[in-house]
Amino acid sequence: MKRIKMGCTTLSIPAMALGIMRMNQKSVPEAQVAIQAAYDAGINFIDSADIYGGGKSEEIFGQAFSQMQIKREEMFIQSKTGIVPGKRYDFSKEHILHSVDEILERMQLDYLDSLVLHRPDALMDPEEVAEAFDQLQAAGKVRFFGVSNFDTAQFKLLQSCLSQRLMFNQLQFSLKHTGMIDFGMHMNMVDKPSVDRDSQFLDYARLHKVTVQAWSPFQYGMFEGTFIDNDDFPKLNQELQKLADKYEVGKNAIAAAWILRHPANIQMLVGSMNPQHIRDSAKGAKIRLTRQEWYDLYLAAGNYLP
C-alpha cells in the first residue's frame, strides 16, 4: 500500500482508508471480514462518523474489532461529529465532548486517532471549538483533528483559534466529481467548469500541508450510485476496462489510481464492505497512470478541456 505523510507531520498513513458508513448493514463476522481484507491490503486507517447507521456502524465495528487479533496501535481510527439527527449541525463544546464519549463507547476504544468536524456549522464559534479540542487532547481522548467539506475561509477561520494543526479536510472527489480541478484548467473562461465551487482548497492544502480525504470515490452525484459498470456511463466504463485489462486489475483499482495520481497526496476513502471490492481498490495504490491515461479517463468521464 502506498503511504503518504499525514498533514504537516512525519507520520505515515496509507493512501486509502476504509469508510464504515455501511457497516450497520453487516453482521459482526461480516464486518470482521471487511476489516481484515482492508488490513491485509495495507489499509490500517478507519473512517467513521457518529451518524453512520444511527450509531450502529460504530457499534458493529466495536464488537468486530474487539474480537480480532489486530492490535489497537496498529490501526488509525477516525470518526466525525457535528451532524445532528433532525437536520441541523452542532459544533458546540458540549455536543463535541458528549459525542466523542459516545463514539468511544460504541467503538470500544480508549481514544480516537482523529476527530473530524462533519460539514460546516453556520453557528460555529471557533473559540468554543478550540476549547473542546484542547480538553479532548488533554484528556487523551483524541490525538489529531480535522474537518469535512470546509471551504478555504472556513478552514482558515477555525485554524486561527486552534492550538492544534488541522490535519484533514474531507471533500468529494472522483472521476464524476471533478470540480476541484476543473476550474483551474478553465481559468479565464466563462463556461460552467470555470466556476470555482471549492475556493481553491486543493491548492491551499498543498501549500499548507493539509491532507485531503476524498469521499465517494466511485460515486456520481452525491449519493446517486456508482459509475462503475453503470450503463449510463459507457465511455467511462470502456476506458476503465481498457486500463484494467492493461494493468490486470478491476475497474475500481483504475478509478482509485486516477485519484491517487494527483500530486496533492490525496487519501482516498473506500466505503465498500465487499472484501473483493476492497482488495481490488487497494491495487490502485500500486498503479501510476501515465499523464495521457489520466487525461483520457478525465475526458471519458464527460469532462472537456478548453
Side-chain angles (χ1 to χ4, degrees):
M1 171 56 59
K2 175 185 176 183
R3 308 284 295 187
I4 60 175
K5 294 291 178 60
M6 185 186 77
C8 61
T9 74
T10 58
L11 182 64
S12 172
I13 58 174
M16 293 186 186
L18 178 68
I20 64 169
M21 183 173 72
R22 299 176 180 84
M23 193 165 277
N24 65 304
Q25 303 169 12
K26 300 297 180 181
S27 66
V28 170
E30 289 172 331
Q32 289 176 324
V33 172
I35 296 168
Q36 191 67 54
Y39 182 79
D40 290 344
I43 303 174
N44 64 332
F45 194 117
I46 301 295
D47 175 69
S48 181
D50 54 5
I51 63 166
Y52 288 169
K56 187 67 175 179
S57 292
E58 293 188 335
E59 289 180 7
I60 295 296
F61 174 84
Q63 295 171 32
F65 186 66
S66 66
Q67 299 173 27
M68 299 179 71
Q69 299 302 310
I70 304 173
K71 295 179 180 179
R72 171 64 182 92
E73 58 268 24
E74 295 177 347
M75 297 292 281
F76 191 107
I77 301 177
Q78 168 177 284
S79 190
K80 300 183 286 294
T81 188
I83 299 180
V84 179
K87 296 186 178 179
R88 66 179 175 87
Y89 306 129
D90 191 345
F91 286 0
S92 67
K93 177 181 177 181
E94 179 183 12
H95 179 75
I96 292 172
L97 295 178
H98 180 66
S99 176
V100 169
D101 285 340
E102 290 189 329
I103 291 169
L104 294 176
E105 182 177 357
R106 284 192 298 268
M107 301 186 84
Q108 300 186 34
L109 301 172
D110 294 325
Y111 68 95
L112 289 173
D113 291 288
S114 177
L115 177 70
V116 168
L117 298 180
H118 205 173
R119 287 199 169 276
D121 175 10
L123 302 179
M124 177 183 73
D125 179 345
E127 294 180 348
E128 186 176 2
V129 174
E131 290 178 7
F133 283 8
D134 285 345
Q135 190 168 324
L136 289 169
Q137 193 171 61
K141 294 180 180 180
V142 180
R143 298 175 63 204
F144 302 103
F145 299 91
V147 296
S148 177
N149 304 295
F150 272 44
D151 67 24
T152 304
Q154 292 165 337
F155 191 96
K156 288 180 177 179
L157 174 62
L158 179 57
Q159 183 64 81
S160 70
C161 293
L162 299 178
S163 56
Q164 306 87 2
R165 283 284 295 271
L166 290 169
M167 296 292 154
F168 307 106
N169 191 4
Q170 288 193 6
L171 299 167
Q172 187 175 7
F173 186 56
S174 74
L175 273 162
K176 292 299 296 179
H177 195 97
T178 56
M180 284 198 298
I181 58 175
D182 292 340
F183 77 92
M185 291 185 285
H186 288 255
M187 168 65 183
N188 203 34
M189 306 292 288
V190 294
D191 53 3
K192 186 177 179 180
S194 69
V195 178
D196 176 12
R197 295 180 174 85
D198 301 281
S199 66
Q200 302 181 39
F201 191 86
L202 193 59
D203 292 333
Y204 175 87
R206 296 177 71 181
L207 285 168
H208 297 276
K209 299 187 183 302
V210 179
T211 298
V212 170
Q213 297 177 319
W215 57 272
S216 288
F218 308 126
Q219 300 283 315
Y220 66 96
M222 272 198 76
F223 299 106
E224 308 295 325
T226 179
F227 56 78
I228 304 288
D229 293 326
N230 189 322
D231 292 338
D232 290 337
F233 308 106
K235 291 184 179 180
L236 176 55
N237 276 281
Q238 181 180 1
E239 193 65 29
L240 286 168
Q241 188 62 60
K242 171 186 171 182
L243 293 172
D245 291 341
K246 173 184 174 179
Y247 289 102
E248 299 182 335
V249 295
K251 292 179 182 177
N252 285 58
I254 300 301
W258 185 86
I259 293 173
L260 300 183
R261 178 64 175 81
H262 194 280
N265 282 326
I266 295 170
Q267 184 185 48
M268 194 190 87
L269 306 181
V270 182
S272 177
M273 292 289 98
N274 183 315
Q276 181 55 41
H277 288 170
I278 293 171
R279 285 189 287 266
D280 183 52
S281 297
K283 293 177 182 177
K286 300 179 180 179
I287 297 171
R288 182 174 173 82
L289 298 173
T290 68
R291 287 175 174 268
Q292 189 61 57
E293 290 168 344
W294 189 91
Y295 276 104
D296 286 345
L297 285 165
Y298 179 77
L299 296 172
N303 299 298
Y304 64 93
L305 297 173

